[in-house]
Amino acid sequence: MFSCLLLPPVLAFPLFSASPTYNAPIPPGLDSTETIATTLQTWAASFHYQPEDLLPGSRGEENHHNPIRSYISHSFWEIAKTLGWQSFSRDFVMRLGNNGFTPDILLFLGPPRNTLREYYLEGPAEMVIEVLRPGHEYADRIIKRDYYAAGGVPEYVILNPARKEIEFWRLINGKYEGMAPDPSGCYRPQSVPGLVFLPNNLWREDEDWYRWPHDPPIVYIEGTQPEGRRLREVENGLGWGCLPFNPQLQLEPVPISFEQYISWCPEAKFEFWDGKPQIGGKEGIRNLIGMLLMTFGLADALKVLSPVEWVSALLETETLRQQDAQRKAVWWDLARQAATLLRSKYGVTRLGVIGDLVKPEPLNFWSEITLVVWDLPDRKGYEIYQDLSNLSQEPEINLIEAESKYATLAQQQSISQFLVEI
């Protein structure tokens, strides 16, 4: 986390003076890292640090949130598949203006109201469903409801598992009005022709929401509806890695644009290895920390750890900066060794380097050796990975195939503009 500040310590240390939490005394006229560090070390050792209480941000009770969400999502997916609609669950983004939301469930029919992109839905879905979780009621009932109304989501459904209640909200003249099922207990959203929602069938006495098929059903299509073709993605170039990762870090929060969010935000795949959480791998964790620092601002980020820990980490970073030329020389030697191995053992004819190693800025915690290769042999990926891992695990040596369809737009731009061939 420290290294993600991307500030030289001579600039980072004054953050403690500007922070209202610490208000560190830095006498005027100090212009060297060593002098500032000595002053701050003395102050930090005497500062009484009180860790911030993070318990209010804990997850809390579930109230069967995930099984209910999965239960409904599966029901909508079966119908959507038949009729050519689309239904996605959490982790898929719905764009409303410059904001992005990941509803528990969204059902959409395509143009003219919305367009399916590779990484998100452009425009409001025909129906959005949120399943309440304790501690998150205000976000679903007030904040998201207002955004969904302003963004034009015609039907908003809120499920309350704790009370076994379902609220139906219909957008009328720009505002949501509460709707009720008909006398038979059915609800028919105007935005989805033929769809019938049976809310009373949701609450199971056995609370076994993973049972399939659902009997009785919670949704069905009445009448004859023509089968449709599956909605196809319409590409627009906006997706993971389309922009270089360059978070703007300031004392105060800095808004993140939707384009930055889509380009930088990792897939919500939470894993754990090497004693730490992994979200979308190393690059995903880096991006997530950078976006959080933009969102909260550096002044708030300083509260997470004690001044002693911050000052120690910044001094360590400064030491690495002073050794940067030597470190880069070692890394370049590793890159050349890797190139020799790839040429002699795998017949690669052309290689180059991109990334932090070719940039003028010092290496940082997230830096790695990135090789670009042409003519990589098929079905040798794992063997090559093992060879490069044996050569160096720290720093990591990563390969990008120059002509691969999986290379991100930012990587393609780096190859065309900054590649150094070896």
Side-chain angles (χ1 to χ4, degrees), residues 84-86 107-116 121-122 124-126 231-232:
W85 307 341
Q86 281 277 24
L107 176 68
F108 54 97
L109 280 58
R113 180 174 277 117
N114 44 64
T115 301
L116 179 62
L121 179 69
E122 184 91 53
E126 271 69 20
L231 289 178
R232 300 298 180 184

Side-chain angles (χ1 to χ4, degrees), residues 200-390:
N200 291 335
N201 291 347
L202 174 61
W203 312 117
R204 307 182 63 96
E205 292 185 6
D206 58 10
E207 296 187 340
D208 181 10
W209 284 282
Y210 290 115
R211 181 184 300 173
W212 188 260
H214 302 146
D215 185 23
I218 55 175
V219 289
Y220 70 90
I221 294 294
E222 63 181 356
T224 302
Q225 298 291 333
E227 292 191 9
R229 300 181 63 181
R230 197 78 166 160
L231 289 178
R232 300 298 180 184
E233 300 168 359
V234 179
E235 295 295 334
N236 65 347
L238 182 55
W240 169 255
C242 69
L243 297 177
F245 181 67
N246 184 28
Q248 296 82 52
L249 306 182
Q250 303 292 335
L251 274 175
E252 299 303 318
V254 176
I256 299 173
S257 70
F258 182 83
E259 289 75 16
Q260 290 172 327
Y261 165 67
I262 285 295
S263 178
W264 298 346
C265 190
E267 179 184 1
K269 185 179 182 182
F270 289 71
E271 297 177 303
F272 186 85
W273 70 79
D274 292 340
K276 52 184 176 289
Q278 306 285 343
I279 307 174
K282 183 178 178 180
E283 186 176 9
I285 283 284
R286 180 203 67 180
N287 291 9
L288 182 60
I289 292 175
M291 290 190 293
L292 287 173
L293 288 172
M294 281 183 65
T295 299
F296 291 103
L298 297 180
D300 257 3
L302 292 177
K303 302 176 185 177
V304 177
L305 296 173
S306 70
V308 171
E309 292 171 293
W310 278 116
V311 173
S312 175
L314 287 167
L315 285 174
E316 182 180 345
T317 301
E318 177 60 16
T319 299
L320 292 175
R321 287 177 183 273
Q322 293 173 359
Q323 300 170 350
D324 188 64
Q326 299 95 307
R327 292 180 70 204
K328 282 187 174 178
V330 172
W331 285 33
W332 272 112
D333 184 58
L334 285 171
R336 294 186 182 97
Q337 291 182 50
T340 299
L341 184 153
L342 292 169
R343 285 193 173 97
S344 62
K345 186 173 181 178
Y346 298 101
V348 174
T349 59
R350 184 184 176 192
L351 298 102
V353 178
I354 61 171
D356 289 344
L357 192 52
V358 302
K359 294 178 180 178
E361 295 82 12
L363 300 172
N364 60 69
F365 175 81
W366 307 102
S367 297
E368 55 194 16
I369 298 173
T370 304
L371 296 181
V372 182
V373 297
W374 285 258
D375 304 320
L376 199 66
D378 294 334
R379 301 180 181 179
K380 292 288 185 177
Y382 182 72
E383 186 178 347
I384 292 173
Y385 166 78
Q386 291 281 52
D387 283 341
L388 294 180
S389 296
N390 291 334

